[in-house]
Amino acid sequence: MEDSCSKAIAPSPTIFSGDLYGSSSCSDDSLLGELPAPDLLVRTSGGLRIPVHSSVLALVSPVLENIIDQPRKHRSSERIIPILGVPSEAVAAFIGFLYSR
């Protein structure tokens, strides 16, 4: 007997394409131009994948810093922080807020 949940199809992940890094409240926008390529992805339960910089997240949030610094079980090339159970739009707004600090 199959579980009805096993038939559910997960949405295909999409990469966030909004202007996350360009909207800063800093008066010196030259700092944003010096950021390296994002080295981490935040994944939402809706399948959204938001590219972020681990150094920025670690700088503004001790909780995210601890998550980033945890040893990974699998050494894949893709580093992912799942933020599940929250609407994708809320996660994107939260990441945008962290970059605006």
Side-chain angles (χ1 to χ4, degrees):
M1 185 162 129
E2 281 189 53
D3 183 3
S4 62
C5 293
S6 65
K7 293 181 183 181
I9 298 174
S12 60
T14 53
I15 300 290
F16 182 77
S17 60
D19 185 17
L20 186 63
Y21 317 115
S23 58
S24 171
S25 63
C26 296
S27 59
D28 184 11
D29 286 336
S30 63
L31 292 176
L32 290 174
E34 296 176 13
L35 285 175
D39 60 342
L40 190 65
L41 288 172
V42 171
R43 182 177 48 91
T44 69
S45 49
L48 185 65
R49 296 161 59 105
I50 306 169
V52 294
H53 301 88
S54 59
S55 58
V56 172
L57 297 186
L59 181 67
V60 298
S61 170
V63 172
L64 291 173
E65 180 180 27
N66 285 337
I67 293 170
I68 292 166
D69 290 342
Q70 285 180 353
R72 293 178 284 164
K73 292 179 183 177
H74 305 286
R75 293 285 182 203
S76 69
S77 61
E78 203 171 47
R79 295 174 58 198
I80 298 173
I81 294 178
I83 299 181
L84 308 174
V86 179
S88 297
E89 296 83 14
V91 176
F94 171 67
I95 298 297
F97 170 73
L98 293 178
Y99 272 84
S100 71
R101 295 190 69 199

